Amino acid sequence: MRVMVVDDLEDMRLMLRLRLTMSGIDVVAEAADGRQAIEVARDVRPDGILLDVMMPVMSGLDALPTLRQSLPEARIVLYTAGDVSALHEAAEEGGATALLSKSVGPDALIAVLRNGGA
């Protein structure tokens, strides 16, 4: 599976990249905000995207509809440190495969990337 990691925190991208790689997932790209994610995803065409919700420049929620349109078959997993219940409707309307709290840890993110919605 080819995955892109999108998070404004470089340490979070590094941790996710290492954990995904250890799980046999190929991290093909990274981005630091939603606008950059849209540009990179069009070129790289990943099978899955881990997409942080709260980022500067463009949030994951704002980037989600464009990413979904560009990559209709991709698994797009939104994750956030914020209140998941408050974002559920917007994530669903934008076409997210799943919306998870960062507190669930990388194993849950990996499971959803591999198996679909949570």
Side-chain angles (χ1 to χ4, degrees):
M1 174 173 228
R2 302 172 67 253
V3 172
M4 179 169 75
V5 176
V6 184
D7 198 298
D8 58 315
L9 300 175
E10 186 175 353
D11 289 346
M12 179 63 92
R13 292 193 312 268
L14 173 63
M15 186 273 300
L16 287 170
R17 181 175 65 241
L18 291 172
R19 186 63 187 89
L20 290 164
T21 301
M22 288 174 22
S23 296
I25 293 174
D26 188 16
V27 178
V28 295
E30 294 181 21
D33 61 65
R35 183 173 297 144
Q36 190 179 53
I38 290 168
E39 293 170 11
V40 172
R42 286 181 178 147
D43 291 335
V44 176
R45 316 262 334 142
D47 304 314
I49 301 173
L50 288 179
L51 183 62
D52 187 16
V53 172
M54 295 184 285
M55 296 179 288
V57 181
M58 178 184 276
S59 75
L61 278 176
D62 289 338
L64 179 59
T66 303
L67 289 168
R68 175 53 64 215
Q69 184 177 20
S70 297
L71 302 164
E73 301 301 318
R75 291 185 177 159
I76 303 176
V77 180
L78 284 172
Y79 64 102
T80 184
D83 181 6
V84 173
S85 62
L87 301 170
H88 181 73
E89 187 175 330
E92 190 175 294
E93 287 175 5
T97 302
L99 169 65
L100 298 174
S101 171
K102 285 185 178 181
S103 66
V104 300
D107 289 340
L109 295 171
I110 291 166
V112 173
L113 278 172
R114 286 191 168 138
N115 304 315

